[in-house]
Amino acid sequence: QACTFPCQCPSQPLQCPVGTSHVWDACGCCKVCAQQLGELCSLHRPCDHHKGLYCDFSKIHRGSGICLAHEGATCDLLGKIYLNGESFQPTCKLQCICMDGAIGCIPLCSDDLRLPSPECPNPRRVKFHNKCCEEWVCEEGSEENHFGTAMAVFREDPAHKPELNNLQENCLVQTTEWSTCSRSCGMGISTRVTNNNPQCRLEKETRLCMVRPCDFSMEKTKKGKKCVRTPKQRQSLHFEFSGCTSSRSYRPRFCGSCSDGRCCTPFLTSTMDVEFHCPEGDFFQRKMMFIKMCSCHYDCPRDNDIFLATYHRRMIGDHI
């Protein structure tokens, strides 16, 4: 079909299955759900090029084709072979794809955090026999127990108990320090828990973090010094995340290295909103950590695993 201008796209937001890319149609007018491996395709129903798929018009006529994958290695999972570009569900909780020998998966169940609040003092995850994903339920307790659990996040006022319609005024804001970055090099994730929101509910926040690029060239230490603690990037750079690039460049500080066995990790940080632009034309904002100062110490993570029980160092972050 020929393209018509001006573009006329559906007013409803695009709803695609989990793991399906939003791509432009051949006219460059509207975002559509990308066709997957083995599905029919056309100029107005393009294949998911993010997964290495292309529309082969040689097998089906009348302007339609079939989505095929460029040559690549297959994947072996528990003895079952998957083709390059093939999507599959090994369990009801995961949606996976084979990409040139590597398997990537998206969780289908929410992994959200829910801590006690006045309307849900005793949250608990429950597995129902007819559902795949666990769900949150709020156990009812005694009135005394109800407010005893939730009062920790409210200002103490013996005259009255907090009313649900007046949570913001009575809320005693509590925010934990940011956790250690999930990667010792490259882009990672840092988290904290805060109740600084209109519902005064304790929720988990995330921000992007980069302790240092994986190809970071360390400066030489000065004579008599054994550590380069917080070197600043000499040239400006653009951050990359999920195939998208920051709209502006930055000259961030990174953590350096030591010659005596110590490691350097962020100690004082701040958080800024960074805007990312994607090849498809979309853009989004993410909170990101910016290092102000690093500290060098012997309490080091091993093998890029910051979740080891022996490693508990935390960053001092901003609480804005």
Side-chain angles (χ1 to χ4, degrees), residues 45-209:
R45 294 189 300 168
C47 299
D48 200 335
H49 61 86
H50 295 295
K51 299 176 182 176
L53 304 181
Y54 69 97
C55 194
D56 185 355
F57 291 99
S58 64
K59 303 186 184 306
I60 298 179
H61 301 290
R62 295 183 181 178
S64 294
I66 188 169
C67 289
L68 299 179
H70 293 288
E71 289 188 14
T74 58
C75 301
D76 184 348
L77 181 64
L78 301 176
K80 187 170 182 179
I81 303 299
Y82 297 95
L83 300 175
N84 179 39
E86 183 177 358
S87 296
F88 58 96
Q89 277 189 249
T91 71
C92 63
K93 294 184 178 182
L94 290 174
Q95 176 73 44
C96 301
I97 182 172
C98 172
M99 296 189 70
D100 197 17
I103 296 176
C105 298
I106 299 172
L108 299 177
C109 297
S110 173
D111 191 26
D112 59 334
L113 174 74
R114 182 158 191 174
L115 297 179
S117 63
E119 67 270 23
C120 187
N122 298 303
R124 188 166 62 92
R125 292 188 83 121
V126 175
K127 177 72 172 71
F128 295 98
H129 72 278
N130 59 340
K131 293 185 178 180
C132 174
C133 302
E134 295 177 336
E135 295 184 4
W136 285 108
V137 295
C138 297
E139 290 186 343
E140 292 295 334
S142 65
E143 187 72 9
E144 183 178 344
N145 182 43
H146 176 101
F147 286 102
T149 308
M151 276 296 288
V153 297
F154 290 93
R155 303 183 191 281
E156 293 185 8
D157 184 357
H160 66 280
K161 297 174 182 177
E163 298 293 337
L164 297 183
N165 59 358
N166 200 24
L167 294 179
Q168 193 70 35
E169 183 178 340
N170 291 317
C171 187
L172 180 62
V173 174
Q174 298 182 75
T175 305
T176 66
E177 295 173 358
W178 288 102
S179 69
T180 309
C181 192
S182 61
R183 291 175 61 93
S184 61
C185 75
M187 194 69 78
I189 299 292
S190 176
T191 64
R192 71 177 180 184
V193 175
T194 182
N195 64 334
N196 191 10
N197 52 65
Q199 292 76 34
C200 194
R201 175 181 293 169
L202 288 165
E203 294 177 341
K204 183 168 67 174
E205 286 185 341
T206 62
R207 66 175 178 177
L208 301 177
C209 54

Side-chain angles (χ1 to χ4, degrees), residues 3 10 12 19-20 25 35 45 71 95 100 108 115-116 138 140 151 159 176 204 244 253 262 268 276 292 297 300:
C3 299
Q12 298 296 324
T20 300
D25 60 20
Q35 301 298 101
R45 294 189 300 168
E71 289 188 14
Q95 176 73 44
D100 197 17
L108 299 177
L115 297 179
C138 297
E140 292 295 334
M151 276 296 288
T176 66
K204 183 168 67 174
C244 305
R253 293 183 182 274
R262 286 183 290 171
L268 195 61
F276 290 87
K292 292 183 176 180
H297 49 85
C300 300

